[in-house]
Amino acid sequence: MRVGISGTHGTGKTTLVEALCAHLPGHVAADEPYHLLEEEGYEFQFPPSPEDYRALMACAVRSLCAPAPSGTIFDRTPLDYLAYLAATGADPTEQADAAALRPTFASLDLLVVTVITPETERVLPAAELPGLRTRTNDALLELVYDDPLNAWEDIPVLELGGPLDGRLDAVLAALRQIRRPGPDRA
């Protein structure tokens, strides 16, 4: 199974990716686009600029489209960076090529969205740029459900708004449903 984990910063994405890889035999984590670009020598502004987010989105597209094992968990998807762009005032429909995004998202079996909850605020370390974080969370949820690019409409989406200790089980249950053929499929 190929799973994309999306969410604003400080919502436990990487922790979830690691837990999934530990519980799903043969699954590996794909490197986060930020780290891939950093290794290539890309220098990010702080806070990131729109150009930085576009570079991250392009890297995420390449990562999802590159040959990878079928058991790959992606720590961020292009949707994350569209949400950051929207949160900084850009029109997401002008920031991405829908025709390029469709096969990217079609390569996923499940899109998981980690959101800000009262528990993430209480339990997880305080995140930098809290205003941007909240705006991105809101933009991400709007994008996920409105899909203004018609790029991920056929991909099952699991929004994780419940307790942090239930996230792994929720994703594993969703994956079991996706694997199951017939009318019970999620």
Side-chain angles (χ1 to χ4, degrees):
M1 301 293 280
R2 290 171 52 99
V3 180
I5 311 290
S6 286
T8 190
H9 55 286
T11 57
K13 291 176 306 307
T14 302
T15 301
L16 179 60
V17 168
E18 292 167 354
L20 285 166
C21 288
H23 282 80
L24 294 170
H27 283 68
V28 296
D31 288 330
E32 184 178 337
Y34 182 90
H35 300 298
L36 291 171
L37 287 177
E38 204 173 41
E39 288 173 10
E40 293 173 7
Y42 188 97
E43 293 187 26
F44 291 93
Q45 295 181 31
F46 186 83
S49 69
E51 293 77 26
D52 293 337
Y53 292 129
R54 284 190 284 276
L56 287 160
M57 183 169 44
C59 183
V61 167
R62 286 191 306 274
S63 179
L64 274 126
C65 290
S70 61
T72 303
I73 312 295
F74 295 90
D75 190 344
R76 294 207 178 267
T77 73
L79 190 57
D80 295 66
Y81 306 113
L82 275 176
Y84 278 101
L85 284 162
T88 57
D91 180 348
T93 63
E94 296 175 0
Q95 300 299 314
D97 176 11
L101 288 181
R102 285 185 194 105
T104 300
F105 282 98
S107 75
L108 295 175
D109 296 295
L110 179 66
L111 175 61
V112 176
V113 180
T114 61
V115 297
I116 296 172
T117 66
E119 186 178 13
T120 62
E121 299 305 272
R122 197 175 58 255
V123 175
L124 298 179
E128 292 182 324
L129 306 169
L132 175 62
R133 180 174 176 254
T134 299
R135 290 190 310 275
T136 302
N137 184 76
D138 296 345
L140 179 66
L141 289 171
E142 186 175 323
L143 285 167
V144 164
Y145 295 113
D146 290 349
D147 190 3
L149 298 164
N150 297 318
W152 47 86
E153 62 192 355
D154 295 328
I155 308 306
V157 174
L158 175 63
E159 180 183 329
L160 295 176
L164 292 173
D165 64 358
R167 286 180 168 184
L168 175 63
D169 289 339
V171 175
L172 294 174
L175 290 173
R176 283 191 296 274
Q177 283 293 107
I178 290 168
R179 288 182 185 151
R180 183 180 304 145
D184 292 323
R185 184 175 170 176

